[in-house]
Amino acid sequence: MIWVNGVSQASIAPMDRGLAYGDGLFATMRSSECGILFFEQHQARLTAGAARLGFDWQMSSALAEQLNTLAAQNPHHCIKLMITRGVGGRGYAPPEQVNVTEIVSVHPIPAHYAAWQQQGIRLKTSAVQLGHQPLLAGIKHLNRLEQVLIKSQPLPQGFDDWLVLDCTGQVIESSMANIFFVKGHRVITPSLARCGVAGVMREQVMLALLAQQMNIDCLPFGAERLVEFDSVFITNSILGVVDVLAIDSHSFKPSPLTADLRHTLSLSL
């Protein structure tokens, strides 16, 4: 179930800059009977990301209608939207005239995500570290080769995903989700000023925690501080909120915050 510029099963031009250079962005959105969760926030993040890459994009009413129709037809699915700068010539310099390519696809939510929500997961620190590029930090651009390298390594038995550090040993995220650390009434999530993806769900969780009068800090910290925390959880738009029971050899207890967040934000699978 793929559409390119609104045409079902259409092909992508070989000279599309998304294919040639990863020149674009994407969003993975969760559908429900009520539509796409946090749809406006996904739109805003894509628009802001395109502006940071240097081209103008606003979601058209036709595309919004298509996405909402797909959500109604396919509740409890992942709807992926990719936008690229479109076709350009050979060479890195972007074309003066931009004709954005929009690619929509529909996918089932991985079955094990529901078990993750119920049981929690364990993370292993990846040997692949993220480089620094503040101009791209935070946005969900199409250049995801670091994540490909991370996911190419086989996980040791008993672990479910990777914890990812940057090139200076600072904690950033899991291979596919943002991460939060809890100590009493204080919650810390890593700074993403130099690398990493600032997910829509990360923002929604932070707002929900603030509404509960929790103290939240967004700051850099090294992996050596993991032992300081009582609980850890990860978030993204598809899996919602999931407890982390262990990172490497250090164990954590499930946080009472996670079940409450899943209820408040309608994230249960």
Side-chain angles (χ1 to χ4, degrees):
M1 299 175 66
I2 300 174
W3 294 260
V4 179
N5 294 329
V7 180
S8 176
Q9 305 300 325
S11 298
I12 300 170
M15 297 300 289
D16 191 282
R17 290 180 61 88
L19 174 63
Y21 308 117
D23 189 0
L25 309 132
F26 72 104
T28 48
M29 303 171 284
R30 182 167 149 189
S31 62
S32 72
E33 292 85 353
C34 300
I36 294 175
L37 296 180
F38 313 114
F39 190 32
E40 292 182 0
Q41 290 81 359
H42 282 291
Q43 292 182 60
R45 188 174 70 156
L46 286 168
T47 298
R52 286 179 61 184
L53 291 181
F55 65 93
D56 181 59
W57 180 85
Q58 299 282 339
M59 185 175 291
S60 66
S61 57
L63 178 57
E65 181 179 357
Q66 180 193 14
L67 294 171
N68 283 312
T69 298
L70 287 173
Q73 294 172 344
N74 302 277
H76 309 296
H77 277 68
C78 169
I79 298 179
K80 183 174 183 178
L81 170 61
M82 290 185 282
I83 61 172
T84 83
R85 203 185 302 256
V87 174
R90 195 204 68 80
Y92 294 133
E96 292 184 8
Q97 182 66 39
V98 176
N99 293 302
V100 173
T101 301
E102 298 170 341
I103 305 162
V104 176
S105 55
V106 180
H107 313 266
I109 293 176
H112 62 273
Y113 281 6
W116 281 14
Q117 280 195 1
Q118 296 165 9
Q119 302 169 11
I121 64 169
R122 291 169 169 79
L123 303 180
K124 180 69 175 176
T125 301
S126 175
V128 180
Q129 298 181 328
L130 301 179
H132 290 169
Q133 178 44 272
L135 293 177
L136 298 176
I139 65 176
K140 203 167 185 179
H141 54 75
L142 293 175
N143 287 276
R144 307 252 59 97
L145 285 177
E146 290 175 316
Q147 284 70 32
V148 171
L149 292 174
I150 291 164
K151 285 293 210 179
S152 296
Q153 303 301 310
L155 277 163
Q157 187 173 2
F159 291 93
D160 304 287
D161 193 21
W162 296 104
L163 176 72
V164 183
L165 312 179
D166 70 6
C167 55
T168 64
Q170 303 293 300
V171 175
I172 300 298
E173 57 197 5
S174 90
S175 75
M176 59 177 184
N178 292 121
I179 192 163
F180 291 79
F181 299 86
V182 184
K183 180 68 174 180
H185 292 284
R186 185 187 186 198
V187 179
I188 295 176
T189 192
S191 169
L192 304 178
R194 297 187 290 187
C195 59
V197 175
V200 164
M201 188 55 60
R202 175 179 183 262
E203 178 186 28
Q204 296 307 306
V205 164
M206 293 173 74
L207 291 172
L209 292 173
L210 287 171
Q212 297 179 27
Q213 307 300 313
M214 295 292 293
N215 297 314
I216 305 174
D217 291 310
C218 180
L219 48 81
F221 64 93
E224 72 280 355
R225 293 191 57 190
L226 294 177
V227 296
E228 299 177 14
F229 300 100
D230 301 322
S231 303
V232 182
F233 60 90
I234 62 169
T235 66
N236 76 23
S237 292
I238 306 302
L239 61 77
V241 179
V242 170
D243 283 298
V244 174
L245 304 180
I247 297 176
D248 299 330
S249 61
H250 188 75
S251 298
F252 302 94
K253 60 185 180 183
S255 172
L257 294 172
T258 54
D260 185 64
L261 287 167
R262 286 193 291 267
H263 174 73
T264 301
L265 299 174
S266 301
L267 301 175
S268 297
L269 292 170

